[in-house]
Amino acid sequence: VDVPPSLHYLSAIRGCLQKALGRPDLYRLSRRAVELVRYIWTIMTKFSDLALSPKIMKAVEAAGYETPTPIQAGAIPPALQGRDVLGIAQTGTGKTASFTLPMIHMLARGRARARMPRSLVLCPTRELAAQVAENFDTYAANVKLTKALLIGGVSFKEQDILIDRGV
């Protein structure tokens, strides 16, 4: 399969799976995955094709995005259906938006219970946690949702106030 540069991460995944499991028959499976992502990429060329709510779409457009990356086109639709998604992609390909956009969409549709958290995102570094929080603020600008960024190494007083307020 001739994989375009934007999908090279799929070739890397295929190679890792084959080596790790010693199963060359995975080639056919991963080849189908490449074809599926390529198909999704060709039919979903705009964020408006991803069935996100109009308020989220307004925020996406305000952020200057029109075309989803392959990881976004492949992850957002099944996430909106409530399916589990595992995505692997290079830095800068839009992985954070791949899970924050569907999360915001689903949270905005549901009802919040008094001061009870409805979602939790765990990140391995402060920098990534800050990036996720920033993305959440950007994409949830037009919906009534709150969030708290909780990180170690800083005063917990402000973080505790956010939690007490309800996020």
Side-chain angles (χ1 to χ4, degrees):
V1 176
D2 182 32
V3 181
S6 60
L7 299 179
H8 276 235
Y9 62 92
L10 290 174
S11 293
I13 292 169
R14 179 179 61 220
C16 289
L17 284 172
Q18 288 172 338
K19 287 177 185 173
L21 300 175
R23 294 183 51 196
D25 58 313
L26 285 176
Y27 176 78
R28 273 188 245 117
L29 175 67
S30 59
R31 185 175 175 177
R32 288 186 186 137
V34 169
E35 290 168 359
L36 176 63
V37 169
R38 194 182 289 156
Y39 172 72
I40 290 169
W41 179 248
T42 59
I43 62 170
M44 293 188 168
T45 57
K46 301 271 185 206
F47 271 105
S48 57
D49 297 330
L50 299 178
L52 293 165
S53 76
K55 290 180 179 181
I56 295 172
M57 283 304 307
K58 187 176 178 182
V60 169
E61 290 167 5
Y65 299 112
E66 291 180 13
T67 306
T69 64
I71 188 76
Q72 293 165 344
I76 292 173
L80 289 173
Q81 295 171 0
R83 293 176 36 212
D84 292 338
V85 177
L86 173 63
I88 301 171
Q90 293 176 337
T91 301
T93 57
K95 293 181 297 294
T96 305
S98 296
F99 74 86
T100 55
L101 289 171
M103 180 179 67
I104 293 166
H105 178 89
M106 295 169 94
L107 290 173
R109 286 187 333 184
R111 287 186 50 204
R113 293 186 182 160
R115 296 178 30 186
M116 295 297 292
R118 297 188 295 150
S119 181
L120 174 66
V121 178
L122 300 175
C123 301
T125 65
R126 288 183 201 179
E127 293 78 15
L128 185 56
Q131 176 187 331
V132 170
E134 183 181 331
N135 273 247
F136 185 91
D137 289 340
T138 299
Y139 302 132
N142 302 316
V143 296
K144 190 178 177 183
L145 294 172
T146 57
K147 63 106 177 69
L149 172 60
L150 307 177
I151 55 174
V154 297
S155 169
F156 194 70
K157 185 177 180 179
E158 293 86 22
Q159 298 177 53
D160 199 28
I161 291 169
L162 288 173
I163 293 171
D164 283 343
R165 213 183 308 158
V167 291

